Amino acid sequence: MNSTVKNELLKRLFEAKGEPVSGQEIADHFGLSRTAIWKYVKDLEKDGFEIGTIRKKGYYLIASPDRVNEANVQKHLTTKRYGRRIHYFDTCGSTQVIGHDEAQNGAPDGTVILSEEQTSGKGRMSRPWSSVGGKGIWMSIVLRPSLTPQQAPQMTLVAAVSVTRAIQEVTGIEPDIKWPNDILVGGKKVTGILTELQADPDRVKAIIIGIGINVNQVETDFPEELNPIATSLRQVLGKPVDRAELIAKILSFLELFTGLYEKHGFGPIKLLWESYSNTTGKQVRAVMLNETIVGTAMGISDEGVLELKLADGSIRGIYSADIEL
Ligand code: BTN
């Protein structure tokens, strides 16, 4: 089966919003027979799509499976650079580990790894990341921006702003960002971002951005201890969210905001990030490996570092910590 024909057929069925799409027209477009198009329809049905037929009018889409697969993601994808190469897995240990291997083997800028399930999802500070099958977005993106390792944390904030905008656009929910890159709704975490580097001392070779989004979990899908601190978009919205659509929207905003960052520097991203921040102006505790400090969050520096004003009036830059509000 030719995936271009399959993707085009699905795109047209999807865009027709339940109206019939002529099999003859698609057959003519690709110089194929109607029987060949019918075989593509059967193949889509095998993937879980429900497709109806109206005599002399064509095929119409009844329902799409909630699967993060090529057919579903491609029908929403509008990017030029990112997601042009996507590796799909039903299950894997961690998309982040695969992302590192891909980057090492020369994967181009914007390569994406997606899995329905992760068996050893990795969070920040070597914590495990719960990645139940078929409910969330577990994705790593290999980027190759021209940056020094010192600038790399800025890309984490580019990613946080991109995911926040995408969630807003697809669901209407208005999330907050807790420094550096936790995305929260109503104080509970819906998204975590893990940024890792492959770098020489003066040059970033690849950034692997791992994004974990709780999309369609219900309470019982989370380990019990996470329920007080984590939630899913479905729990907030009261209805399921199309994961493939959200993935495509994230890649589209990531492409847009990375472009903005490359052209105009960190300034515009900093402004966007601050508009979503729930940290700025608040009294916070920064819990680090060897110490905990309390102070007022003044904002972020041009390097993306969190600036805390301590009780003695001094300003302290925080590079890596858990922030408690
Ligand atoms: C955090 O601790 O907040 C960051 C969580 C990052 C989880 C994502 S899920 C996709 C990618 N693969 C992983 O193993 N981790 C990241």
Side-chain angles (χ1 to χ4, degrees), residues 79-277:
T79 47
K80 291 202 173 63
R81 282 164 65 190
Y82 294 172
R84 289 291 123 205
R85 186 181 293 196
I86 304 186
H87 301 278
Y88 298 90
F89 294 85
D90 285 331
T91 184
C92 72
S94 156
T95 59
Q96 197 71 359
V97 172
I98 299 173
H100 271 288
D101 289 347
E102 284 289 319
Q104 208 105 52
N105 294 328
D109 184 38
T111 300
V112 173
I113 299 96
L114 276 167
S115 187
E116 282 288 356
E117 176 197 57
Q118 298 185 116
T119 50
S120 326
K122 292 185 348 166
R124 283 174 61 229
M125 312 205 179
S126 312
R127 295 184 185 123
W129 179 261
S130 159
S131 320
V132 61
K135 303 280 175 104
I137 293 176
W138 322 127
M139 148 162 100
S140 294
I141 307 160
V142 178
L143 298 182
R144 297 195 184 273
S146 130
L147 293 179
T148 62
Q150 290 69 32
Q151 289 170 305
Q154 298 179 341
M155 273 308 295
T156 301
L157 305 190
V158 174
V161 165
S162 307
V163 175
T164 304
R165 275 299 296 274
I167 291 178
Q168 251 182 350
E169 195 137 311
V170 171
T171 66
I173 294 170
E174 304 267 336
D176 295 319
I177 305 177
K178 185 174 78 147
W179 185 88
N181 49 21
D182 282 351
I183 300 179
L184 312 180
V185 181
K188 289 187 175 186
K189 183 155 163 172
V190 290
T191 298
I193 300 176
L194 177 66
T195 308
E196 295 177 317
L197 293 187
Q198 290 180 5
D200 289 336
D202 57 345
R203 183 182 72 94
V204 168
K205 292 200 277 193
I207 298 193
I208 298 99
I209 299 185
I211 301 174
I213 310 184
N214 300 325
V215 183
N216 286 329
Q217 290 100 323
V218 293
E219 209 174 305
T220 47
D221 291 319
F222 288 107
E224 209 171 303
E225 68 278 9
L226 289 187
N227 274 313
I229 53 170
T231 190
S232 72
L233 299 175
R234 177 186 185 156
Q235 282 174 290
V236 175
L237 210 59
K239 61 175 189 197
V241 172
D242 185 331
R243 290 179 297 152
E245 185 185 356
L246 185 52
I247 289 165
K249 195 56 88 184
I250 291 168
L251 293 176
S252 149
F253 275 118
L254 194 60
E255 186 168 288
L256 178 76
F257 291 138
T258 308
L260 194 71
Y261 173 60
E262 284 168 344
K263 216 163 161 196
H264 300 290
F266 188 55
I269 300 299
K270 185 176 168 199
L271 281 178
L272 274 166
W273 189 91
E274 282 171 346
S275 74
Y276 293 125
S277 160

Side-chain angles (χ1 to χ4, degrees), residues 36-90:
I37 299 302
W38 175 79
K39 285 189 182 150
Y40 281 101
V41 169
K42 290 290 140 199
D43 199 44
L44 284 173
E45 286 179 341
K46 256 198 240 139
D47 288 346
F49 291 91
E50 268 184 72
I51 297 169
T53 316
I54 304 180
R55 261 190 70 221
K56 297 203 176 126
K57 288 217 154 57
Y59 302 107
Y60 63 100
L61 187 62
I62 302 168
S64 310
D66 176 34
R67 295 269 301 145
V68 170
N69 56 19
E70 185 179 2
N72 275 344
V73 175
Q74 286 301 328
K75 75 183 182 210
H76 294 289
L77 206 59
T78 55
T79 47
K80 291 202 173 63
R81 282 164 65 190
Y82 294 172
R84 289 291 123 205
R85 186 181 293 196
I86 304 186
H87 301 278
Y88 298 90
F89 294 85
D90 285 331

